[in-house]
Amino acid sequence: MTSIGTGYDLSNSVFSPDGRNFQVEYAVKAVENGGTAIGIRCKDGIVLALEKLVTSKLLKSGANKRIATVDRNMGIVSSGLLPDGRHFVSRARDEASSWRNLYKAPIPTSSLADRMGSYVQAYTLYSSVRPFGVTAIIGGWDSEAELPVDGQVGAGPGVGSGGKKDGAKHGGPYLYMIEPSGLYWGYYGAATGKGRQIAKSELEKLNLSEGELTLEEGVKEAARIIYIAHDDNKDKEFELEMTWISSTTGPTKGRHEDVPKELREEAERLAKKALEGDDEDEEEEKMQE
Amino acid sequence: MFRNNYDNDSVTFSPQGRIFQVEYAQEAVKQGSVVVGVVSKTHAVLAAIKRNAEELSSYQKKIIPIDSHFGIALAGLASDARVLSNFMKQQSLSSRLTYDRAIPLSEITSRIADRAQINTQQYGRRPYGVGLLISGVDAKGPHLFEFQPSGVTQEMVACGIGARSQMARTYLERHLDSFEGSSREDLIKHALRALKESLSQDKELTVDNTSVGVSGIGEDFKLFEGQDIAEWLDATFENREGGGEEGGEAMETDS
Amino acid sequence: MNHLPQAWGRPRDDIYGAYDHAHFQTAAGPNQHTQSPIVTGTSVVAAKFKDGVVIAADNLASYGSLARFTDVKRLRKFNETVVVGFGGDVSDMQYLDRLLNSLDIRENYSSTDDPLNAKNLHTYLAKVMYKRRSDFNPLWNHLLIAGLDGESKPFLASADLLGTTFSSPTLATGFGAHLAQPIMRRTIPDENSVKDVSKEDAVKLVKECMKVLFYRDARSMDKYSIATITKEGVELDENVQLENQSWAFAEQIRGYGTQTA
C-alpha cells in the first residue's frame, strides 16, 4: 500500500488519486482478522458455520451465540468486528420486519441482501461515519409453499383465484455475502475471515453448482472445512457454531435453527478424523520421500 | 516527530483495520479500580474495590442495583456508567410494565451493547469509557455478562476488569472448575479472594473499601457494604493481622 | 337526568342547544375513529381444568346479520403455551394477529431465553387495548388469553376494547357471557373447583356451551375451533362439527310471533 501516509486514507468517502477508497480497504483488514465464517448452499437447504475463537478460559462455553436469526427463515453469520456484526443483524431484522409490515409476507433473501448491500454502501459515502468492519453471509430459505398472507384467518374461494401459474416454481435456498464496500454476490459456497483462502479452495472442491450436495452432507462438509481452515499455530482453541435452514418439509421446517447437538458432534468427530487422516497421509508421503 | 494520524476519532480505521479511539477507551477501563464477578449453578456474585478521592471524601459507588433481579459493577468512567445504568433501569422497568416479566439478562446486555456500538461508528461521538459486569438471575438461572466500550459483550463464568485485574483473572482461571458447584458463601469467598489478588501488597480489603452484590435463584439482587460484609471478610481472610475494621490506613486513595 | 352514557359529561342539548363544532378547523367536525365494528365474530368460551385450559370459538364472521365468511379461524396459537381467542371485529383481530406474529418473531431471535407465557401475553395485550382506547381509537375486540403462566399453572384472562382486564376460572365473551358463563359456573364455580375438573370434563363442558350458543345466538354457526393448552403443548382443532343437536326444545318456546297452540 504505497499511498499510506499521503493523506487520502484519513477520512471515509475520500478517493485517492488512483481511485481507491482507503477507509473501506482498511475495514476489510478488520474482517481478515476475524474467525472464519462460511455458508454452503446445498440442494435442500443452507448451512452456516463459524469458527468461534475462544479468547479466554473464563468464557461460558456454548453461550455467546453469534449466528443470528432474521425473521424466521434466514440466518446471518459474519466475520470482523463483533459489535458491527450485531449492528448489521439488527438492521437486517428491522428491514425484514418493515417488509412484513408493508407486504404481509416474509422478505425474500435476495431482497434482504439487496437492502443490506445498500445500507452498508451508505456507510462508505460520508465522512461522518466509518464503513462496517464486517463481511456478512446471509442464508435463507424462501418458502416454496403458498404462504398465507400475515393475519389471514381463512381461505379464499377454492376456485377462480387469479394470477397463479400452473407448475411455476418459486422459493428455495439462497446465499449471499456482503462486503464492507456494500458489494454483494450470490454464492453456492461463501467464506470470509482468517481462513477464507483455505475454506474457499475446499468449497470449490465440493462442486456446489451442480446442486447435488444434500443438507446433511453439507453440515459435515461445513464442519470439516472450519476445522481445516483453523490455524492451530496461531489460535489454540475454538468452538464450532453451526446453523441450518431446510425446506418446510425438511428437518427445520423452513426455519433457521441451530444444528442439533448430536448431528453437530457427529460432524465434528468426522472432521477431526478427516484432519488426522490428512496428517497421516502427509507423514506417509514424507516417509516415502 | 511521529504522529499517529489514525487515532483522532472513532470513524477512522488504521491501515491494520483497528479503531484507536475505541482501544483508548478500553484503557480508561483499566484505570478504574478492580471489580470481579462469579457465577455458580445457583448464585451470581459481584465484588468491587471502592476508591475515595481523598481521606475525607466518600467512596465512589462501584456496584449499582438495576432491577430486583440484577445489578452491575463498573470499572472506568463512573458517569458513563450512570448513563448506561439509567438506561438499563428504564429498559428493565418497561419490560416489567409491558410484559410483567423480568427482562432476560442477555437482552438487557445486548441493548446497551447496541448503544455502545453506535458511539464507535459515528463522528462527533466518543465510545463509552467504562466496562461493566452485569450479573443477576433470570428465568434461565444465574448469569454474568461482561460489557466493553467497544460494544463487545460476552457471557462469562467468572470475570474481572479494572486496574491490575489480570491477577484476579488468573485466580479465577485457577479455580474455574470449583465455581459451578459452589455454595453461596463459598462463591462470595472466591470473589473476595480474586479481588484481593489484584490489590498491591500493602493494601487490604476492608469494610470501607469493599462492595459485594449477591443474587441467586429465589434471592433478589442485594448490595452489601460496611458492617454487612465484615463477617465475610473475616471468614475469607482468617489469618491476617488486624481485622476487618482497622483497615483505615491501608485505604487506597487516588491521587 | 339523561341516563344515556353518551350524554354524560357534556352540556345538555335542551339547555345549551346542540353541540356546535364549528370552532374545529376541519370542515367535517371533530376527528372520528371507529364507531362500531364491521365484520364480527361472536362468542369465545374458555374454562380452566386441572392441568390446562380449553378454549373454543365458532368459525363464522358476520357482516351485520349476514353470515358473510364461514371459515374464519378465531383462535390463534401464539406458541406452545398460549392461545388467544378473538371476539368482535375481524379486521382488528387480523391487525392483532400480525402484531403477535411480529412479537413472536422477535422473541425467537434468542433461542436461549424463556418464551413469553400466557400471563406475559395478557399483560401485553391489555396494554395495547388500553392504549388504543385512550387514543379514542379502540381495537373493537374482546380477547380471551388462555394458556399457562410462569409456574406452568393454568392461566385464563380477558382484555376488552376498553382495556378492562378480568380473570376467572371460566370466561366467555359476547353472547356467551350471558348464555355460556352460567352453564360453566355450575361445574366450575370458583378457583378451588378447578383441580377437580379433568380435561375430558372441561372439553365436554365447553362443547356443550358451543351447542347452547348455536341454539340461541343468531350470529353463530355449527362449525367451530377448539383448543386445549397443557404442559404437553397446544392441541388445536379448527374444524369441529357441532354434534347431537336436538331442536325439540324449540317447540316449547313461547312468546315470539304467531303461535298455533
Side-chain angles (χ1 to χ4, degrees), chain B residues 22 26 30 37 62 81 83 85 110 131 147-148 150 163 168 182 194 223 247:
Chain B
V22 172
Q26 238 123 339
K30 294 182 191 160
K62 293 290 284 182
V83 170
S85 72
S110 65
F147 162 85
Q148 294 169 216
S150 58
S182 276
L223 173 59

Side-chain angles (χ1 to χ4, degrees), chain B residues 5-236:
Chain B
N5 284 311
Y6 302 100
D7 68 351
N8 289 315
D9 53 54
S10 54
V11 296
T12 309
F13 278 109
S14 81
Q16 293 74 242
R18 295 162 64 180
I19 306 161
F20 281 107
Q21 270 299 307
V22 172
E23 293 181 17
Y24 295 171
Q26 238 123 339
E27 290 300 314
V29 178
K30 294 182 191 160
Q31 307 281 328
S33 62
V34 65
V35 295
V36 301
V38 208
V39 270
S40 70
K41 216 181 276 175
T42 53
H43 287 84
V45 172
L46 293 173
I49 295 284
K50 294 181 287 184
R51 283 180 187 160
N52 53 353
E54 49 190 285
E55 205 69 14
L56 293 175
S57 76
S58 66
Y59 285 83
Q60 178 65 51
K61 253 199 207 106
K62 293 290 284 182
I63 297 180
I64 307 174
I66 303 291
D67 197 340
S68 53
H69 66 298
F70 79 103
I72 59 168
L74 61 104
L77 301 185
S79 23
D80 283 17
R82 207 167 53 236
V83 170
L84 285 168
S85 72
N86 280 341
F87 175 73
M88 291 164 92
K89 283 173 186 175
Q90 282 166 12
Q91 292 292 311
S92 49
L93 200 55
S94 127
S95 169
R96 290 208 184 252
L97 271 168
T98 38
Y99 302 108
D100 190 17
R101 171 169 75 165
I103 196 165
L105 262 70
S106 59
E107 177 68 29
I108 190 74
T109 307
S110 65
R111 288 194 194 175
I112 56 165
D114 291 351
R115 260 176 76 117
Q117 194 280 148
I118 294 169
N119 289 240
T120 72
Q121 206 176 7
Q122 284 175 20
Y123 189 83
R125 294 171 179 271
R126 67 158 172 83
Y128 288 114
V130 73
L132 303 177
L133 296 180
I134 300 145
S135 145
V137 176
D138 61 22
K140 282 283 161 86
H143 296 283
L144 172 67
F145 285 89
E146 182 199 3
F147 162 85
Q148 294 169 216
S150 58
V152 169
T153 60
Q154 292 168 313
E155 179 157 16
M156 315 290 282
V157 175
C159 189
I161 52 173
R164 296 162 54 87
S165 58
Q166 184 53 51
M167 312 287 279
R169 285 199 296 275
T170 308
Y171 172 91
L172 293 169
E173 276 179 29
R174 225 171 25 234
H175 296 84
L176 195 56
D177 298 327
S178 56
F179 298 146
E180 188 174 322
S182 276
S183 69
R184 178 179 185 270
E185 300 305 308
D186 285 347
L187 205 63
I188 293 168
K189 278 184 192 169
H190 277 305
L192 289 173
R193 287 204 192 104
L195 206 59
K196 174 78 170 66
E197 292 287 315
S198 287
L199 244 47
S200 50
Q201 287 299 320
D202 55 327
K203 288 178 181 134
E204 292 253 345
L205 294 179
T206 71
V207 290
D208 296 312
N209 71 2
T210 311
S211 286
V212 178
V214 184
S215 56
I217 294 171
E219 179 184 350
D220 280 352
F221 184 90
K222 193 164 182 265
L223 173 59
F224 295 92
E225 286 180 318
Q227 286 309 316
D228 291 342
I229 60 169
E231 268 185 46
W232 287 329
L233 286 176
D234 290 344
T236 312

Side-chain angles (χ1 to χ4, degrees), chain C residues 74 100 180 236:
Chain C
R74 296 192 291 125
L100 292 179
L236 172 62

Side-chain angles (χ1 to χ4, degrees), chain A residues 194 230-236:
Chain A
K194 257 181 203 170
H230 176 69
D231 190 341
D232 273 328
N233 303 321
K234 280 185 189 152
D235 305 301
K236 286 197 188 90

Side-chain angles (χ1 to χ4, degrees), chain A residues 164-185:
Chain A
K164 285 178 202 162
K165 248 191 241 165
D166 236 11
K169 273 193 187 163
H170 46 92
Y174 292 97
L175 189 68
Y176 292 86
M177 182 158 78
I178 302 173
E179 295 164 27
S181 58
L183 190 73
Y184 71 92
W185 301 94

Side-chain angles (χ1 to χ4, degrees), chain C residues 89-107:
Chain C
D89 193 273
V90 169
S91 57
D92 284 351
M93 165 176 90
Q94 290 174 315
Y95 168 80
L96 281 167
D97 185 40
R98 288 195 291 268
L99 196 69
L100 292 179
N101 196 234
S102 71
L103 178 65
D104 183 52
I105 289 173
R106 264 180 286 142
E107 278 296 306

Side-chain angles (χ1 to χ4, degrees), chain C residues 41-45 56-58 74 86-87 172-177 210 213 217:
Chain C
T42 182
S43 324
V44 185
V45 296
D58 71 21
R74 296 192 291 125
F86 296 83
T173 76
F175 225 106
M210 293 310 286
L213 283 167
D217 178 359

